[in-house]
Structure formats: C-alpha cells, structure tokens
Amino acid sequence: MQDILKELNQEQRSAAEHIDGPLLILAGAGSGKTKTITARVAYLISLGIDPANILTLTFTNKAANEMRDRALSLIGQVRYPPMLCTFHKFGLLFLKFHINKLERSNNFVVIDTDDKKRILKSFGSDMPLSLVASEISRYKNSLITPKEAFDKAEQQNYKKIAKLYEQYENYITSNNLVDFDDLLALTYKILDLDDELAHQISERYQYIMVDEYQDTNELQYKLLRKLCTAHNNLCVVGDDDQSIYGWRGANIKNILEFHKSFDAVKVTKLEVNYRSTNQILKAANELIEHNRERIGKKLESIHGDGKEIEFIESPDENYESKNIAARIKKLIKGGVEPKNIAVLYRINALSRSLEEGLNKEGISYNMVGGVKFYERTEIKDLISYLRVITNANDDFSIKRVINKPKRGLGKVTIDKLFKLAYEHKMSLYEYIVTHEDEVKKITSAKSFVALEDFIHNIQKLKEISADSTYDFIYELENCIKIREYYSMMPDALERVSNIDEFYGLFRDYVKQHPDMGAEDFLNDLALQSDQDQIDNENISIMSVHASKGLEFEYLFVIGLEEGFFPLIGDGSDIEEERRLGYVAITRAKRELVLSFVNSRFYKGRRAELMKSRFLKESGVCKGSLILEKTTSFKKGDLVKHKIFGIGRVFEISKVQREFKLKINFSGTKRDILASFIEKI
C-alpha cells in the first residue's frame, strides 16, 4: 500500500486515499492527475475492494490505455482488472448486453459521422448535411425525440431537420445501426426505463471515477447520476480552466456546480505542476485569472525558472511561417527530436501558410485532425466489406461496395434491387439469395454472374471468419480484390499503401487479440480519436483543441491576433477563448514562442490586425487592456462588493465597453461597474 502512495505529493495522496463519498479533484495542467487517478484505483484494490467494482471513464482511448497500463503496473496481476475505458466504449459494452430491452438485436454495427452523412444524403434533402448531422447529434445528447424536435421547431428549416431526424432514426433502427451518440443515449434510455437494472449496474460499479470531467455534457452527467443510483462514490477529476468544448455540448457547470449535485463533496486541488517552467506557468496563471467563471487555483512549477517566453511579430502570415519553419529547422539541427516540437493554431485555416513554410524547409510534419486515415475512400470500402461479412443484412454497407470493384451494376439497377428487396421486406442480401429469377430479369448476364460471385465470396469469407480470423485476413484480398481495383487509379501508390497499412493493422490486431473477431475490430475502430493517430517521427501541427492532453518541449502558438485568437463574433465566448489560451500555453514544457502578424489573408481578403489581448493579459508583452464585451452577470445574481457588501443585481446596462450593474444592497440601490463586482 505504501509503495502505491510513496511517489504522490500531499494533495495527490489525500485524493488517492479518499474512499467513500463524492470527491472533486481539481487538477491543474501538468499536475499529475493521471498518476493520482491510477494510484487511487490501485489503493482501492489494495484495501480488498474487488477490481470488478471499479469503473474509470475517460474521453480518449489513449488516456484509457495509459491509465490501464499504469494501474496494472502498480497492482500487479489481478484476475479481473478494473474497467478503464471511454464513455462510448462503456456504452458499447452495455448495449451488447442490454440493447435487447429496446427489442433490438445485439449484432448492431457502429457507424461514424461520414456514414451518418451518407445516410442523410440518400434522403435527397437540400439541407446542408453538416448542419443536419450536427443538429441530430444535439437532439440525441439532449434526449430529444424526432417528434419533440418537430414540435419545438419555430423555423421551417428546423422542422425539415426534425423530419430528416425521424427518417434517419427509422433507417438506422431498421438496419440495426448505432451511431456514436446512440452509444450513450440508448444506454441512458435503457437505465431510465428500468430502475432495477440501474440499481443492479450501480451496485456492480461501486466506485466510479471520471477523467476530464469539465468536458462532460448534459447526457453524460445524467448517465453518471444513473450509475450512482445505489451510492454516491463518484470521484471526478478535471480542470474548469481547461473546459474548451462548450461548442459541442460540454457543460462547464457540471464541474463548477459539482458540490451542488452531491452532498458533502470533498474538494482537493492539485496545483503543483510537473511539466512547465515558472515563466510559462506565470503567463498561464495571469491569463486565466481574467476569467470570472472559475473555482480558482494557481499552478506552481517544480522545475523553477527557464527561458523567457518569446513573442514574435511578423508583417504577414508568409513571414510568420518562414520564421517559424527556420526556427524549427535550427532546433532539429541542434539535436532536438522532432516529436518534441509542435505548432498550435486556433482555427484550422491558419495551417495552410504554415504547411507551405514547413514544406519549403523540408520539415516533415504530422497534422493531427487532418484527413483521417479511416475516412479515406479505400479504407471506408474495406470497412464496409468487413461490416457486410459480419452482418450480411447491413444494407447501408452493401450499397457502398456492391459495385466496388466494378460489377457492371448501374445506379438504376442497384436502386431497382433495393426497391424489390424493400417490397419483399428483406435485406438486399436476403433478396438476391432467395430471388435469383427476379434478379436475373433486371441485370445483364455478365452482371448477374458478377453478383453471384459477390454473394459467394461474402458467404465464403463469413465461413472463414467464423473458423479463423487470421486466415480470413489473407483470404480477404483474394476474394474481393480491392487492392487490385485501386491499383488502376491515378493516385494508386497512396491508395494501395493505405490498403496495405489497413491489412497490416488488422493482422496486428488479431495477433494482440487472438480471441477477437472482425466485429470487435470494427467496433474498436469506431471509437478511435485523432490523438490515437499521432506518430513519433515528425513535428506535430494541430489546432489548440486537438492539443488538449498533450505536451511538448518546444511549442509555437501562431495567429495571436484579435479576431483569430481570441475568435470574436456571434456565438463566441471570451471566457472559453481564454481557457483555450490557457490550454495552449500549458502544453509547453521548456520553451514557448507566441506569434502574431500585422495582416493576414483570410476568406479571400487581406485584413489589418491587432495583436491579441491575451498577450497583454498573460503579461508576455505590453499593450492596452481590451475590456470584455460580454458579462457573466445576469438579473437576479447574488453579488459582493468589497465595501458595500452583498447585494442582488436587478438591471444590467452597457457603458461603452464595460457593463454597469444596478444592485440592491439591503435596500440601497447603487450603480456599479461589473469589473468591481464578484459573483457569489
């Protein structure tokens, strides 16, 4: 037990030794939160608590794998290791056992965002696919049904989206497909409908831990409440200063108001930073202290002083990228490993000029969040073949590959086949197998033979897969010849390399998981994230959002101009922008360079720019203070003034760039500027 705790500092140890009751670990950037979580898992097991009763939920596979490895190294061999997985992996496993309660089969297929858009596109709507897909995701995470979405819609466009949502739900349900949002929404629905099951699952997982709690949304919060039906042993770990996903539904109030959700919450702050130098932390602390919506903490470095933060000014983006590329080249020539260098930007559009600068200097880079490997056309085709082999009744996947490689089947013929299958209330696969005479009538002799060959190969691969996944991998290409098909294309080299890489990944998966099949491989792929694809050979370039959870010895942040970082406009939140700035700065371990330009070409025009207020707020350079144009105060808020005491806001008005509050202090009404007021 002492070995488990010996490397922890006082605050980490206090958190690790907490057993019963709700616990909030407020963990600053680089403060050893992973070490604390894994030590707590190991400590609970050392007390005799069954590992099977411990559940730890994360947001990325990378984090889950790291925690699992660390926890097992502390506790040694256990018969049943504790469950450490992402929220969505937990949902996937839960649905495999319990989706039958919704009268659905457990051989469902998990689809990704690209699949989702293809399904929506097939409905022939003129609505933008990205908007529709995003709104459907929002509805599901808010537990809103298609009917509720339609009834609540005030604009005609949103009524159209609600109708598409209904079509989409009918389609994926009838094809036994599950999208990413369903993994949690359906899990919650089942637990909400079955109190006994909710109690049973809660009894099973008596100790629950959640990493990156500030990133949870309303649905995840509600799911956690269900998992705590039988107890309140919930330990959440997070940093309100790193809540940067409000745009995709993360609710910062989950962490800010955790103490209101549970009784007798213990709060432990991890403020010792093991990552960065004093100079870097000073800038991060000063920047984030300008935010009002935060619990409050201050990071302190164990490394002491380092190199001063450097900021560079360039006339435009071309000079900026040339300068940064030259600096990176110098670092690499000086012996710095490329994997220890990264460049961050607030918006992806800024990567274009940066990429050009790196290419001119011959610097290889890895773009995190760029065109993803599993979204390439040839890889999607292979994944669809695997889906059909695992579930031949998956019409969505069959439609994608029925004419890849070409089998002489035109769109009209394929549509006719689907129409006839629908009329017979069968999947396309079932229809072709059982109605050969009808199929012959609507296809040419050559196409019919090719179609028969397609069905035969699916059946053959299905049988091989059932006997030996390893043999199946080698037989896959022999039967479908997808590699041969793409080798005839102009960009054959890249496509074939990707196919070979996919086969290699499949073989490696089977070697590492000999008891797993193609279905398990597919489900694991569906849960991949951007950070799972990072390699160690090149420098990394990425958005600040993509950098969350990573750290680099040498860091460059570009585009620090008003309007770019912070991003300013409708829907932008200056406090979240500032948290993004805090995240960007705290990725740096040893050296940090902040860059801004005087003008930038963007969206077809060149604009003159001001340097970011964040440079001034972080104390990195001098400049005029830019007062915020938003306020976190609202009518009815209870507030405090250092002289007048406690009062309640009853009116808010604008005075130039500041907000003025009318406050009732025990009967005395005063007008006070918002910057002099503290919210209670």
Side-chain angles (χ1 to χ4, degrees), residues 107 109 381-395 397-398 401 429 454-469 472-473 475-477 479-480 502-503 506 517-519 522:
N107 70 335
V109 169
D381 289 345
L382 279 168
I383 289 171
S384 293
Y385 265 109
L386 290 180
R387 286 175 173 172
V388 172
I389 291 157
T390 13
N391 175 17
N393 297 321
D394 178 0
D395 278 355
S397 297
I398 277 203
V401 297
Y429 179 88
F454 171 71
I455 296 295
H456 170 74
N457 282 332
I458 296 299
Q459 291 170 337
K460 179 182 175 183
L461 288 167
K462 228 173 168 44
E463 290 168 8
I464 295 171
S465 176
D467 291 333
S468 167
T469 308
F472 161 71
I473 300 165
E475 198 59 37
L476 188 62
E477 179 57 31
C479 287
I480 65 174
F502 183 85
Y503 285 147
F506 199 156
E519 184 181 353
L522 285 172

Side-chain angles (χ1 to χ4, degrees), residues 205-219:
Y205 298 113
Q206 294 173 15
Y207 295 90
I208 299 171
M209 279 175 271
V210 183
D211 188 23
E212 303 288 7
Y213 187 66
Q214 77 281 345
D215 295 336
T216 53
N217 61 20
E218 190 63 23
L219 175 55

Side-chain angles (χ1 to χ4, degrees), residues 566-583:
L567 198 62
I568 299 169
D570 292 340
S572 66
D573 177 347
I574 191 62
E575 294 225 346
E576 183 152 317
E577 290 296 309
R578 198 173 280 113
R579 292 194 290 269
L580 272 167
Y582 176 83
V583 166

Side-chain angles (χ1 to χ4, degrees), residues 11 53 64 113 174 210 257 280 300 303 319 455 502 507 520:
E11 289 74 22
N53 294 144
T113 304
S174 61
V210 183
E257 299 179 359
I280 292 166
E300 296 180 4
H303 296 300
Y319 278 90
I455 296 295
F502 183 85
R507 281 193 291 270
D520 301 296

Side-chain angles (χ1 to χ4, degrees), residues 407 440 443-455:
R407 295 185 175 89
K440 269 184 184 177
T443 55
S444 66
K446 186 178 179 182
S447 295
F448 179 76
V449 171
L451 205 52
E452 272 196 320
D453 188 49
F454 171 71
I455 296 295

Side-chain angles (χ1 to χ4, degrees), residues 176-209:
N176 205 22
L177 304 175
V178 167
D179 67 23
F180 213 56
D181 299 311
D182 286 331
L183 293 174
L184 299 188
L186 296 181
T187 295
Y188 176 80
K189 184 177 180 181
I190 292 167
L191 290 172
D192 194 44
L193 291 170
D194 192 332
D195 290 342
E196 187 179 338
L197 178 62
H199 196 275
Q200 178 188 327
I201 296 296
S202 183
E203 284 284 358
R204 178 176 179 182
Y205 298 113
Q206 294 173 15
Y207 295 90
I208 299 171
M209 279 175 271

